[in-house]
Structure formats: structure tokens, C-alpha cells
Amino acid sequence: MNLSFFDQFTSPCLLGIPLILLSMLFPALLIPTLNNRWVTNRLSTLQLWFFHLITKQLMIPLNKKGHKWALILTSLMMLLLTINLLGLLPYTFTPTTQLSMNMALAFPLWLATLLTGLRNQPSTSLGHLLPEGTPTPLIPALILIETTSLLIRPLALGVRLTANLTAGHLLIQLISTATTALLPIMPAVSILTTLILLLLTILEVAVAMIQAYVFVLLLSLYLQENI
């Protein structure tokens, strides 16, 4: 029984083809066709408005130097948002429930922000390890604590995204299993759990969008510290 709950975190296959590959083809339908006009229909207008809104929100905490990262951060936001939402479809797989993938996204980008700060303003970047006015006896301990908190940032990014999505998917699996088991025994209770399952699914959609935004927003804040 315990293994069946975690089977949802393995990619389902049909005729040897991972179904996640098929599901990731759906966003390609949103790509506008070649035309001599910038905006061809209402869908393109909606897409441009959505991209503009995301970019604006991500660039608010950054100064002008950080605007060079707009394309990277917006693309990462759309990638995470697409993967998280597609993972809620039946017979699909959510790659962002795997810590290895999240760390592969978090660590290089965090390291890039850190190296950017060390290259452009090394004194300011290293100054974050020791707040001004620290008593002399506390300096070694405080430097150690700040260094640990700095190095643990990519791990926190990856674990946060993995834990939130994994917990939501497991909860949906548990409640749906209870709904099916209670249907022949207590139909009234089964209907109630179905309503709870519906509300939980809506909540999980919101969590999928919020976690993608939080992941990229924290990266933009790390970037702001180093520019």
C-alpha cells in the first residue's frame, strides 16, 4: 500500500513512450504561427499580457543591472509553471517532485548570482557575511553561521519546491483512495470526501503556481543582493 502511493512519482509509459513527453507537447499549441503581425489573435494578446505581468513582477526588486536576467527568470518561471500544472493531469508525471531536477535548476542559478556579486562587488558581497557593528567575540561564530545560511540557499530552494508538490500530490492520492473505498460502504461520506478532493485539487493548482513564482522570486532577491 505504501509503495502504491509513491508510484505516482514515477513517469507512466505507454508502448515504451513516457507520457510526460506527450503532455509537454500541449504548450506547443500556444506558440503563435509565423505571421507578418506581432499580435495575430486574442490568445497572443493574452500571452503577451501574461508575460509582461510576470516580467514586471520579477523585475520590481531588481535595479537596472538586474534587468539583463529578465529573459532567464521569465523563462524559468514559465517552465516551472507549465511543468507543475501539467503534473496535475491524469496519467502524467511531475518532474519537479524530484529533488534532483529542482537542485539542477537551483544550484547553477544560485551560483551564478553569487559569482556575479563576487566579480562585480567583492567587498559588498563578502560584507554580507558580517553585519556592521558585530561584537568582536561573536565575529567567528557569526561568519560561520552566515556562510552556512548562504550555502544552504540552493538546497532550501530545491527542497521547498519538492516538499510542497510532493505533499499535495500525496494528499490528493490519499483522499481519492479513501473516496473510492468509502463509496460502496458509506456513500454520503464518500460524497463529502469528493467535495474535499475537489477543493484540494483547486488548492493544489494554486500551490503549483505559487511555488513556481516563489522559486523564481527568491532567485531574483538573491540576485539583487549581489548587484
Side-chain angles (χ1 to χ4, degrees):
M1 177 63 71
N2 290 334
L3 291 177
S4 65
F5 289 149
F6 291 92
D7 284 345
Q8 61 177 311
F9 301 116
T10 58
S11 179
C13 295
L14 179 65
L15 300 177
I17 302 174
L19 295 182
I20 184 63
L21 299 179
L22 298 178
S23 66
M24 292 185 73
L25 293 177
F26 284 110
L29 301 176
L30 300 175
I31 299 176
T33 55
L34 294 177
N35 199 290
N36 57 357
R37 292 181 297 173
W38 280 102
V39 180
T40 55
N41 51 40
R42 290 184 176 88
L43 180 60
S44 298
T45 305
L46 184 62
Q47 284 180 264
L48 289 174
W49 171 82
F50 186 59
F51 290 153
H52 178 266
L53 179 65
I54 290 177
T55 307
K56 181 181 177 182
Q57 291 297 322
L58 292 176
M59 293 299 108
I60 285 177
L62 299 178
N63 56 26
K64 239 179 181 181
K65 292 182 179 179
H67 292 179
K68 299 175 183 178
W69 290 63
L71 182 60
I72 296 176
L73 295 178
T74 305
S75 301
L76 178 62
M77 172 75 181
M78 295 308 301
L79 173 68
L80 292 176
L81 190 61
T82 303
I83 290 177
N84 291 351
L85 292 177
L86 285 175
L88 295 174
L89 296 176
Y91 300 104
T92 56
F93 166 67
T94 313
T96 43
T97 56
Q98 307 298 312
L99 184 60
S100 56
M101 175 176 176
N102 295 335
M103 289 301 297
L105 291 174
F107 183 76
L109 291 171
W110 165 83
L111 186 60
T113 62
L114 184 62
L115 294 179
T116 299
L118 292 176
R119 185 190 66 179
N120 296 335
Q121 45 181 18
S123 300
T124 306
S125 297
L126 294 175
H128 290 151
L129 301 178
L130 186 63
E132 188 176 355
T134 304
T136 305
L138 295 179
I139 288 179
L142 198 57
I143 290 178
L144 183 62
I145 293 171
E146 291 295 331
T147 304
T148 304
S149 66
L150 178 66
L151 297 178
I152 209 172
R153 282 179 174 180
L155 181 63
L157 280 175
V159 170
R160 181 187 295 107
L161 183 59
T162 303
N164 280 283
L165 295 180
T166 302
H169 286 215
L170 281 176
L171 199 54
I172 289 177
Q173 174 76 12
L174 288 169
I175 294 180
S176 60
T177 302
T179 302
T180 307
L182 289 172
L183 185 59
I185 306 172
M186 294 179 285
V189 179
S190 179
I191 293 173
L192 179 61
T193 53
T194 303
L195 295 176
I196 296 174
L197 181 61
L198 178 61
L199 295 175
L200 184 61
T201 303
I202 297 173
L203 177 64
E204 189 63 18
V205 171
V207 168
M209 294 188 288
I210 291 171
Q211 288 303 315
Y213 176 69
V214 168
F215 188 94
V216 182
L217 180 63
L218 288 175
L219 275 175
S220 67
L221 293 177
Y222 298 158
L223 177 63
Q224 176 60 27
E225 288 183 3
N226 292 285
I227 56 175

